[in-house]
């Protein structure tokens, strides 16, 4: 767990699908709620939104802030604004602890240095352990005037209901396919400007082909809940390719065995579970379409099993990751074979 005054990667990028969320913020005018919770799946830019909102809250120009010429914004950019505290659990396995929330509490009790209040951003608020969550609840119960808490979470079911009920929610939803397309086009044109004629190939043409393919890539879109930043991330880190390869391997179960597993070690367990779920749900749909309703029963059972394991992973119950990985990977051929039980 890291608690830091400023994040090294302090992104305040605005994304085109944040319009409604900014509209909601603007509707509060100068009465921003004391505690906000940004919800929605990963990859929608909630962290960047939280950072930008913190910056705008502390800026003397308020929500209208455009230029970054004020001292508050300059201090934010240099990572030294004394009125901003960011709690960021830097890796998936790490927790937010009670000591961190104690620090939040004392920070909020201090007077604002620059006179625009104080802001605490807690990224991945679901990573608070139970004592941290209870400590935060106390802070929320006695809201200090002129002090703001901006929480973000992609797993709100893991947050105490008493915390949820004390936060005003700002909901983030995946943009439509045309919006995703437009955003990727923009990203690609920037890439083209930065790397013109790389390797002598016409990047624009190569990328527009890739874009067409991407928009038809149901696996990639589904696994990432159509969240543009997650899709981009998977394309950049090679996981998109890996998932497709694993998917192809699973189609050919006669040749699939445990020796293939190491090739997929870079995929997270959750990603593998999501691939299995995607395959299972597709099979269920196809059986429905073929009016083979009896055959959907084992598929539904398989789906329940996968969902239960996925939920276990999400709750991160003292799991031995190696063992679970082995168990899950070993289960793949077996699980995948269930849908293919021969008809009697
Ligand atoms: Zn400013």
């Amino acid at each position: 767990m890291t608690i830091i005054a400023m994040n090294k990667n302090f992104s305040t990028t605005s994304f085109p699908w944040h319009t409604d969320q900014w509209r909601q913020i603007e509707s509060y005018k100068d009465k921003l709620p004391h505690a906000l919770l940004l919800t929605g799946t990963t990859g929608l830019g909630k962290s960047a939104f939280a950072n930008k909102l913190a910056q705008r809250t502390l800026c003397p120009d308020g929500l209208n802030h455009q230029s970054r010429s004020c001292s508050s914004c300059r201090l934010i950019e240099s990572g030294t604004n004394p009125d901003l505290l960011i709690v960021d659990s830097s890796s998936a396995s790490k927790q937010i602890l009670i000591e961190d929330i104690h620090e939040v509490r004392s920070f909020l009790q201090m007077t604002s240095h620059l006179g625009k209040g104080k802001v605490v951003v807690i990224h991945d608020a679901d990573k608070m352990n139970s004592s941290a969550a209870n400590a935060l609840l106390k802070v929320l119960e006695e809201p200090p005037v002129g002090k703001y808490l901006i929480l973000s979470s992609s797993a709100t079911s893991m947050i105490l209901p008493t915390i949820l009920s004390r936060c005003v929610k700002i909901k983030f939803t995946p943009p439509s396919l045309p919006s995703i397309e437009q955003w990727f086009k923009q990203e690609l044109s920037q890439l083209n400007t930065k790397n013109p004629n790389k390797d002598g190939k016409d990047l624009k043409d190569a990328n527009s082909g890739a874009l067409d393919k991407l928009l038809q890539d149901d696996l990639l879109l589904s696994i990432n809940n159509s969240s543009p930043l997650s899709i981009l991330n998977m394309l950049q880190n090679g996981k998109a390719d890996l998932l497709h390869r694993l998917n192809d391997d699973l189609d050919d179960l006669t040749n699939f065995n445990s020796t293939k597993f190491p090739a997929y070690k870079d995929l997270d367990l959750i990603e593998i579970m999501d691939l299995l779920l995607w395959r299972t749900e597709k099979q269920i749909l196809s059986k429905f379409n073929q009016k083979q309703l009896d055959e959907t029963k084992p598929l539904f059972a398989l789906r329940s099993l996968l969902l239960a394991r996925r939920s276990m992973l999400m709750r991160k119950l003292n799991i031995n990751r190696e063992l679970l990985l082995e168990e899950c990977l070993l289960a793949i051929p077996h699980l995948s074979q269930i849908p293919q039980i021969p008809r009697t």
Side-chain angles (χ1 to χ4, degrees):
M1 168 65 218
T2 21
I3 186 156
I4 42 175
M6 277 295 307
N7 191 331
K8 269 176 268 162
N9 306 311
F10 189 78
S11 160
T12 57
T13 313
S14 262
F15 296 103
W17 55 88
H18 286 174
T19 321
D20 289 347
Q21 290 76 11
W22 281 119
R23 208 169 284 145
Q24 183 180 342
I25 293 294
E26 274 147 23
S27 75
Y28 300 125
K29 300 204 160 63
D30 50 0
K31 290 198 171 72
L32 190 73
H34 155 73
L36 289 162
L37 172 63
L38 317 184
T39 70
T41 53
T42 324
L44 294 173
K46 294 192 298 297
S47 300
F49 186 95
N51 292 344
K52 199 176 180 80
L53 178 58
Q55 180 181 11
R56 289 174 76 171
T57 306
L58 292 172
C59 176
D61 293 335
L63 294 181
N64 299 319
H65 121 111
Q66 291 296 334
S67 73
R68 288 174 179 175
S69 53
C70 75
S71 57
S72 173
C73 290
R74 273 204 309 274
L75 287 170
I76 281 185
E77 295 206 332
S78 63
T80 51
N81 192 312
D83 289 333
L84 176 62
L85 183 73
I86 297 196
V87 182
D88 192 2
S89 54
S90 45
S91 101
S93 58
K94 291 187 176 170
Q95 280 191 321
I96 299 173
L97 306 172
I98 189 162
E99 295 80 12
D100 305 317
I101 303 302
H102 284 160
E103 196 163 334
V104 166
R105 194 172 193 164
S106 7
F107 175 83
L108 288 174
Q109 279 163 353
M110 290 187 287
T111 319
S112 162
H113 284 76
L114 300 165
K116 277 285 287 179
K118 283 181 113 59
V119 176
V120 173
V121 175
I122 305 181
H123 294 301
D124 298 318
D126 46 275
K127 286 186 185 156
M128 281 184 287
N129 68 13
S130 64
S131 45
N134 282 308
L136 183 75
L137 189 58
K138 291 208 179 77
V139 178
L140 292 171
E141 280 166 348
E142 308 148 12
V145 180
K147 315 287 168 72
Y148 304 95
L149 275 156
I150 305 169
L151 279 58
S152 80
S153 168
S154 307
T156 44
S157 60
M158 316 277 291
I159 297 181
L160 281 184
T162 37
I163 289 183
L164 292 180
S165 68
R166 282 174 173 81
C167 295
V168 172
K169 275 130 208 118
I170 300 186
K171 220 171 138 185
F172 289 74
T173 47
S176 65
L177 215 51
S179 312
I180 296 179
E181 181 178 19
Q182 205 182 353
W183 181 73
F184 267 99
K185 265 187 190 155
Q186 242 166 15
E187 289 293 297
L188 291 178
S189 71
Q190 276 169 17
L191 189 78
N192 285 327
T193 323
K194 281 181 209 153
N195 311 296
N197 294 321
K198 191 187 168 197
D199 302 332
K201 286 179 201 152
D202 190 333
L203 264 177
K204 207 160 202 160
D205 280 359
N207 283 326
S208 73
L211 188 63
D212 289 343
K213 225 172 108 188
L214 166 72
L215 295 171
Q216 287 157 26
D217 191 337
D218 184 42
L219 170 59
L220 198 56
L221 289 168
S222 300
I223 282 193
N224 292 296
N225 296 301
S226 296
S227 297
L229 303 177
S230 306
I231 296 173
L232 186 66
N233 196 28
M234 270 206 163
L235 288 168
Q236 286 173 335
N237 64 18
K239 283 189 174 183
D241 276 345
L242 266 184
L243 271 175
H244 279 292
R245 262 193 279 153
L246 178 56
N247 188 40
D248 290 345
D249 264 353
L250 289 168
D251 280 340
D252 183 12
L253 287 169
T254 46
N255 284 315
F256 194 88
N257 58 53
S258 57
T259 60
K260 302 235 178 195
F261 296 156
Y264 302 109
K265 66 177 177 2
D266 289 339
L267 289 174
D268 293 340
L269 275 182
I270 288 280
E271 289 158 351
I272 295 175
M273 299 307 269
D274 283 348
L275 170 63
L276 291 173
L277 271 165
W278 176 80
R279 289 176 59 91
T280 310
E281 283 167 4
K282 261 182 79 132
Q283 284 163 328
I284 290 176
L285 204 65
S286 130
K287 296 292 176 197
F288 262 117
N289 290 338
Q290 293 166 42
K291 307 218 180 328
Q292 295 166 333
L293 294 189
D294 278 356
E295 291 185 29
T296 61
K297 278 183 197 160
L299 288 170
F300 274 115
L302 169 61
R303 184 174 174 272
S304 305
L305 176 69
L306 290 171
L307 285 172
R309 289 187 185 194
R310 193 186 188 285
S311 145
M312 244 174 83
L313 283 171
M314 290 298 286
R315 280 181 284 141
K316 299 188 174 69
L317 304 167
N318 280 335
I319 291 170
N320 179 325
R321 288 189 67 83
E322 273 67 42
L323 273 182
L324 194 69
L325 178 69
E326 201 176 321
E327 184 203 1
C328 285
L329 290 179
L330 285 170
I332 293 172
H334 167 66
L335 295 177
S336 304
Q337 270 163 358
I338 293 176
Q340 292 161 19
I341 292 170
R343 266 190 282 165
T344 47

